Every structure is written in C-alpha cells, then in structure tokens.
Amino acid sequence: MYINTHVILLPLVLVSVFLSAIHVSSKQDEGLVLSCGLADGVANDTDGRKWESDAKYLVEGSNSITSRASYQDPSLQAEVPYMTARIFKTEATYKFPAKTDMRYWLRLHFYPSVYGEQNPSDAYFSVTANEITLLSNFSAYVTCQALSQAYIAREYSLAPLNSDSLTLTFKPSDKHSGAFAFVNGIELIPIPELFNGSAVLVGSDQPVEAKSSNLETMFRLNVGGQYISANQDSGLSRTWYDDTPYIYGAATGITLDTKNVKIDYKTIPEYMAPPTVYSTSRSMGVENNVNQNFNLTWIFQVDPKFMYLVRLHFCDFRSEKVNQVVFSILLNNQTAEATADVIAWSGGKGVAVYKDYVVFVKDGPGDETIWLDLCPEEEAKPEFLDVLLNGVEVFKINDEAKNLAGPNPQPSAMLSKAVQEQPKDFVLPESPSKTKVIGTAAGGAAGFAIVAALCIVVYERKKRVSGTESHTSSWLPLYGNSQTACSKSTISGKSTASSHVSAMAQGLSRHFSIAEIKHATKNFDESNVIGVGGFGKVYKGVIDGGTKVAIKRSNPSSEQGVNEFQTEIEMLSKLRHKHLVSLIGFCEEGEEMCLVYDYMAKGTLREHLYKGNKTQLSWKQRLEICIGAARGLHYLHTGAKYTIIHRDVKTTNILLDENWVAKVSDFGLSKTGPNMNQGHVSTVVKGSFGYLDPEYFRRQQLTEKSDVYSFGVVLFEALCARPALNPSLPKEQVSLADWALQCKRKGTLEDIIDPLLKGKANLESIKKFADAAEKCLSDHGLDRPSMNDLLWNLEFALNLQENTEGSSHSSHREESEFEEVSLKQPRKGNAFKQTEPW
Ligand SMILES: *[C@@H]1O[C@H](CO)[C@@H](O)[C@H](O)[C@H]1NC(C)=O
Ligand SMILES: *[C@@H]1O[C@H](CO)[C@@H](O)[C@H](O)[C@H]1NC(C)=O
Ligand SMILES: *[C@@H]1O[C@H](CO)[C@@H](O)[C@H](O)[C@H]1NC(C)=O
Ligand SMILES: *[C@@H]1O[C@H](CO)[C@@H](O)[C@H](O)[C@H]1NC(C)=O
Ligand SMILES: *[C@@H]1O[C@H](CO)[C@@H](O)[C@H](O)[C@H]1NC(C)=O
C-alpha cells in the first residue's frame, strides 16, 4: 500500500491553549509578505496588507529582471502584488530567515500577463522549497486558462523546517525553448501546527501522520455559507469558498445559517476555522422518508497518485442529544466513519469539532476525483434521518519523493472549443486549443481558487485586454444561499474617485439619513444580514413602517466601494421597471455608504428549480417567471435611454418577490451600448461559465444577443430543472446548452425534461418553449431572436398552457410598463414611499 514509511501513531490531541502567544493575533510576527519586483519600500493592497520588496532576499548570483504587467485585469482589485513581477531566465534562489520549529504557510502568487518581451505562455518552470518540489513544468498561463481566472495563488503548508532558513528556487524548464520563470508575490507566514492529530487512511487501519508532512491546499469550502476573504479568517489569512459548485447532482439539501450564536471552541483552537464556517451548514432537511433516498455528495477534482487529507468541520445547532442525527461518511465509496454523531464528538450543541481522514487517489481512468458522501445511518435508529457538514478542507500530502507538483490542468472543453473557433488573428502563440481536451467544464484539476470555476476569463487578444469575474461578491444584494461569484467594476472616465454622487443621480434616488438606515436595520444587527460581499454586508431592513428593503452597506475602507457605489447609483437611478430590481435610494454620510433596494422575499429563481430546493414550480409559474425576466431584459435592451447589455444573465440573477414576480438583478455593472458616451462605465468583460455566448469569444463583440444566448440557457434550466453546468455528469452532458441542443436535434429532449412537468404541462406549450430556447442558443447572434420576438413566443407558450388549464385570461402582454424616469423630472424621494412591489 501507499503508506509513508514513517507512519507513527499519535493520539488525537486537541488542546486549545496552544500558541496563542506565538502567532495568530500578534501583529509583529506576520511573516514575510513580498511583492516581487516592487522597486522598494512598502505597498498596500486593498485589504490594507503591506507588501515589501523581495529584492533583499535574493541570493547573490541570482539573475533576474523586474517588470510591470502590460495590463491590469479588472479582477485584480489592487496593483499589489500582481502588477509587478520578477522574471528569471536562469535558475535563481531566494533565502528567507525562518524559525526551525514552526509550520509555515508559503503562498505563491502568479499573474500570467505580458511582461515586456515575455509572453506568459512561454513560462514553464519548477519551484522547490528546501528539498520539497512544489511545482514542476508549471505553466501559470495554462493553469489560469483552464480555471478561467486571471491570476492564481498556490498555498502550501510546510512542516517545521529544522533549519533557520528556507531556500526557494525557481528554475525555468529546459524542455521548452525560451522558457522562463516568474513570480508576483510570495508570502511566508509562521502558523500554529494545524496537522497535529493522526488521521486514518480510509479503507485500512493505517494511521497517517501529517505533522511531518508538507501539504498543498486544494480546496477550502465554507459549506452552506459564503466566501470568506483572507482578512475575515480567524487569523491565518485563509480564503474559504462557497461549496455549491462541488455538490453532486441536483440534491443540494438545505443550508442553515445560525445567526447570532456563539460558537463554542472548547475542544479545538479558535484558529481552526472562523465562526462563520461553523455557523453555516448544509443538511438534508427533516423529512425522514425523503432522506432515505438520497445522499449528500461533493466531488473534488484532484491530481492522482497522491494522498489527500480531508478535514471535515462540524458544529450542530439543532441537536441536543446523542443519537439524534447519525450518518456515515464515505470517501471514494469507502467508509471513513460508520456512525458519525456530531453531538457525541463535540459534547454538545454549538460546539465546534473537526475530523481528519486520509484518502489515496489512484491513477486510473476516472480516478482523479475525491467523492465525499454523507449518508443517513438508518441502522443506528437516529431520531432524524439527516446529515450535517459545516466546512471541508482538502490538502494534498507530499509523496515520498517530497513532491507536491501535479500536471497542469487541462482547459475545459467549452473554453478550448471557443479558442479553437476564433479567427486566425486572435490565436495566441501557444493556444491551448491544441491540447487534448479532457477536463470538465467547471473546476479543473487543481483548482484552489474555486468560485472562479463558475466564471470565465475572456482574453481580448488584440488589445491585450482581458477580463474576468473574480470571486469577490455579487454586486446587487445576495439572497439566501446564492453564490458570491461576480465582478468588480472600474470606472475609466471619471478621475474623481472620491467625489460624490452626481446631482442628477441624487435627484432620482431617495436620500436616507444614517439614522433612518440604522433604524431600519436595528443598528445593523447581525441577525439581519442576508448576504456578504466584497463591498460589504447586505442587511434586511424595514423602512417607512413596513416596507421591506435590502440594504447594502459598504466597507468604508475600500476605495473600490466608493467607485461601485457611484456607478450603481448613476446607473440604477435611471432604470425603473416592474421586472428589474429597483434601487430605492442611498445613504452617504461621512464614512457610511449604503444602497437601499427592493427586498425580494422569494430569493433567486435557481433556488426554486432544482430538486431538494424550496418549492416545485408549476409549468405555468415557470412560464410567467421567464416572461417576467424576459420583459426586464427587453427593457434593458430597448426601453431605457441607451441599450444596456446585462452581461450576466443567469438563474441566480433572476430574483422573485413575494408574489413570484420575476425581477432581473445585478445589472449595475452592465455595459451600455455604443451610443453611451464613452468613459462612463467600465468595459469589464463578464459572464458566467455555462451561460456565455460562444460568439463573444470569437468576435469579442458584445451585443444584446449575448444576453439572449444566456437567457436561452436559463430557459432550458427552467425546462430541465438542472444547472447550466454540472461537472459531475458525463462529458457531453456537463454543459446544459450543449446537451439540450444535442437532445433537441436528436428529438430526445423529452428524456431530459423535468419529470415533474410530465403529465402536467401541455406538450404544445413545451414544444413552443423549447423551440424558442433553441433559437436563443443559435451560434450566431444574428440568428437569435430579439427579446421582443422571444417574449411573443413565450407568451404563446403560456397561452397554450392556460388553454389546457381552462384559464380565461389569455393575454399577458402588459402595455404601459416602461417606466424610465425622465431625466428632466427628478423623482422626489417620497415617490418611493409605497408598500406595493413595483
Ligand atoms: C499540537 O501538538 C503540540 C505539541 O504536541 C501541542 O502543544 C498543541 O496544542 C497541538 N496543537 C493542536 C492544534 O492540537
Ligand atoms: C499604506 O497604508 C498606511 C496606513 O495603513 C499609510 O500610512 C501608507 O502611506 C500607505 N502606503 C502607501 C504606499 O499607500
Ligand atoms: C447512498 O450511499 C449508500 C452507501 O454507499 C449507498 O448504499 C446508497 O445506495 C446511496 N444512495 C443513493 C441514493 O445514492
Ligand atoms: C463511487 O460510486 C459511484 C456510483 O455509486 C461511481 O459513479 C463512482 O465512480 C464511484 N467512485 C469511486 C472513486 O469509486
Ligand atoms: C508541460 O506542461 C505542458 C502543458 O500542460 C504539457 O503539454 C507538456 O507535455 C509538459 N511537459 C512535460 C515535460 O511534462
């Protein structure tokens, strides 16, 4: 078997007194945070972290050049550390002072941009830390392409070095002519020993000792919760991501967010995971007879031939006693834990615990995954058939040759196809299109930065401009368990970064005082938080004695926040429509900036579409919601003063109010059409994986037909009740757009339609709907219908359905719904004092 030779059995010691003096909160020992190629002095990033120059740690004789990236990708929130790089054409070494007995984080940051003469696709190199191989034949360019990201950070956890220094060596590959190495940022930070306990290798009784191992962080997920940035972590500057992209199939269970509770860290140190990880969780719900028939499963793509430490975090807030919830934990179909009972482990409600397991991932076809299954344990006769999970971390353990490096990930099928189809003059010197395509569409083999798996980078070759969605936060309020994937804006024209909202926008929106906002949110009470993003927290609130609103409060320290705040108000204050989420007003007082929106009681469309989710929507409801959303988009395209392209149409951006009226959200960063005066809104390219118009890749030209394409995917999602991307399905089925088209053409669409619709929905209606959806997915924008034509078809489909149901009202066409506010007649604040939804 593949066990390290130095396996020692250690008792599982969980003592929390450890180290509080050594690191965690002590500011003076933050380790080294280096921005490579920085001339000198100190530079701040957006979080206020200080990065210093790397120059003095270079070993004498190491040749390097420093260079500036030719272009700042919009997903880079700050110049530091990514806009400067150190480039090595020959082997070069850094030497860092270190403590002999400490574990360290070593984080390497790479931004594969053009640096002077150096093309990022030529960078192939290895990196070693003392004698540990971290990367070999590494291409940051190929990796970022495959993961659809502009930049990448790799996090390693090095076992105590037994030496007072760490040498970090970069070596260009000798297999590629002209290869060079580069790095943008290096962090070397002492941390407490996080890998103390022993973990058993699943499927054997062999204990594996991780304490002397070097590990690479593969995944770190806040299950059932949201993105947690490095400075929100419990002192260890880790980043935690949303788990939804990793859930297998449609059975996502339910998420629980236990607000206003104190996590009890009596059995583990507080730094193990922040309270937000333990206060949110995913479980199956409480219907015993349903839970017998499904397991909650997560799937992780990993490199084969390595052992992985899987750390599961638990904290039960619902159970009081032992044997209320008992479940089994399976890793790659092998029992890791036969009877997991969180209360038995932790000793009580609200007490945090974690458990470590080790799996070996073999190298066979289809083996490069870790399946994590949680399955209710009926035989233990628990009170409830349910499972629970709060957090997951997956770490790769170095092999016997002290190696952690895996192959570069393969680009996704969809991306390669798009690159392949590009006209000649857009093709890059070493286009990954030549690479054999095996990866799944979302994810990628070594995706540490994860949420970006949902998003896509579009490289605009000609102008050397590229854009990406970053994993910061959604711009408009986040609802329920919606994801935190979205983008940041840049304002190009206005240099008045800190200026105030324009007089025009002020006139159009209601101005709230901070006192009003505080009153509405009970002084920003944590129990009112309905979402958290890079901009800040989103609170539920009540104004005017009864109107529910969503209030987005900016983080006063972020400069980005000021810009977005302005863009949002400028843009949204001009748009009023029944099927768009409305900005009601804003508050700007001193440091405080808040945006006030309509509250959407029923959350996102996505939440209601898939099995295991809130409600089952009838066919008629789905039609009405699609029609509503189509109207919202139609208004953006034609009804407003300028053509506005949404750019990120997807089921999580279609929100539902208490009457199931669909409203399009997150259009604050939409791009306005050609007649908008330039320099007003950014030209950030955005879009979500699975929804992105293929023509957009080929031509880099954004038209409103790109929205039509994305909306076509939404229509199939509503019809088939499955996500736009499901990486766990066989390759040809991963992308709903591709799969639905294929089935439609083969005449087998019936097989993939939501079974719940069978026998209930009128077949003619479905056919009309599917025909319309198919047209939306036409390869060429010109062949796609306009939103207006689409609306006509959807309404026809609704008519057909209503006729079967014997409903009398046939025409749903709303005539005078366009409510663009005339810019000359500013709305007065009190025009918003209404309790009815728009
Ligand atoms: C790890 O082990 C050390 C020494 O054995 C102990 O002092 C420390 O508390 C342990 N840390 C954790 C997280 O269990
Ligand atoms: C970095 O931030 C500190 C305060 O946190 C400030 O004093 C300093 O001027 C900033 N440096 C730069 C280069 O912006
Ligand atoms: C759930 O997991 C158990 C244990 O592997 C398995 O026997 C069962 O078939 C699974 N159920 C489903 C619905 O996948
Ligand atoms: C686990 O079982 C599922 C179905 O039961 C199968 O599809 C999957 O390939 C198995 N995984 C491994 C690693 O054996
Ligand atoms: C290096 O990586 C590239 C890109 O993944 C791959 O095509 C090539 O075969 C690798 N070379 C070696 C020597 O492994």
Side-chain angles (χ1 to χ4, degrees), residues 42-44 48 50:
V42 176
N44 300 338
K50 289 186 181 52

Side-chain angles (χ1 to χ4, degrees), residues 238-410:
R238 295 164 296 195
T239 312
W240 301 74
Y241 295 87
D242 176 7
D243 69 316
T244 33
Y246 301 93
I247 297 174
Y248 173 74
T252 59
I254 59 165
T255 61
L256 301 172
D257 188 350
T258 322
K259 305 255 168 62
N260 269 344
V261 290
K262 193 147 169 48
I263 307 296
D264 191 337
Y265 284 93
K266 73 177 166 216
T267 66
I268 60 169
E270 293 200 15
Y271 53 72
M272 287 314 298
T276 19
V277 168
Y278 290 115
S279 66
T280 56
S281 63
R282 194 177 291 282
S283 67
M284 288 179 169
V286 285
E287 287 180 54
N288 277 5
N289 53 346
V290 175
N291 298 350
Q292 277 167 2
N293 301 319
F294 89 97
N295 297 340
L296 218 42
T297 305
W298 290 260
I299 296 179
F300 304 101
Q301 297 276 322
V302 293
D303 300 328
K305 292 192 284 185
F306 281 98
M307 285 206 274
Y308 292 87
L309 179 87
V310 178
R311 172 166 291 174
L312 306 180
H313 296 269
F314 301 99
C315 185
D316 195 340
F317 276 98
R318 293 180 304 171
S319 308
E320 306 272 349
K321 301 193 295 274
V322 170
N323 213 44
Q324 286 190 305
V325 172
V326 182
F327 53 95
S328 56
I329 300 169
L330 292 98
L331 285 163
N332 281 352
N333 297 347
Q334 290 184 297
T335 305
E337 196 78 61
T339 52
D341 184 330
V342 176
I343 294 291
W345 283 336
S346 67
K349 185 171 174 170
V351 183
V353 286
Y354 70 91
K355 291 279 170 184
D356 289 345
Y357 306 95
V358 174
V359 275
F360 180 77
V361 175
K362 292 194 292 274
D363 188 16
D367 276 348
E368 48 305 282
T369 47
I370 295 177
W371 291 61
L372 167 63
D373 270 292
L374 302 186
C375 184
E377 194 51 52
E378 270 189 273
E379 278 169 28
K381 302 218 167 13
E383 203 170 311
F384 304 103
L385 286 180
D386 205 349
V387 304
L388 174 76
L389 187 63
N390 300 65
V392 192
E393 291 174 275
V394 179
F395 302 97
K396 185 200 276 179
I397 303 177
N398 69 267
D399 64 15
E400 278 157 80
K402 295 226 165 189
N403 176 47
L404 276 168
N408 292 314
Q410 305 277 355

Side-chain angles (χ1 to χ4, degrees), residues 8 41 72 178 204 215 372 383 394 477 481 522 531 556 565 572 580 583 620 669 676 680 692 694 700 741 795 811:
I8 307 164
Q72 183 170 358
S204 77
L215 303 102
L372 167 63
E383 203 170 311
V394 179
N481 56 3
K522 302 208 184 85
F565 182 72
L572 291 196
L580 299 181
L583 179 73
K620 186 168 167 231
L669 298 175
M676 185 74 178
H680 189 73
L692 210 75
Q700 274 95 45
L741 278 187
E795 281 163 355
S811 174

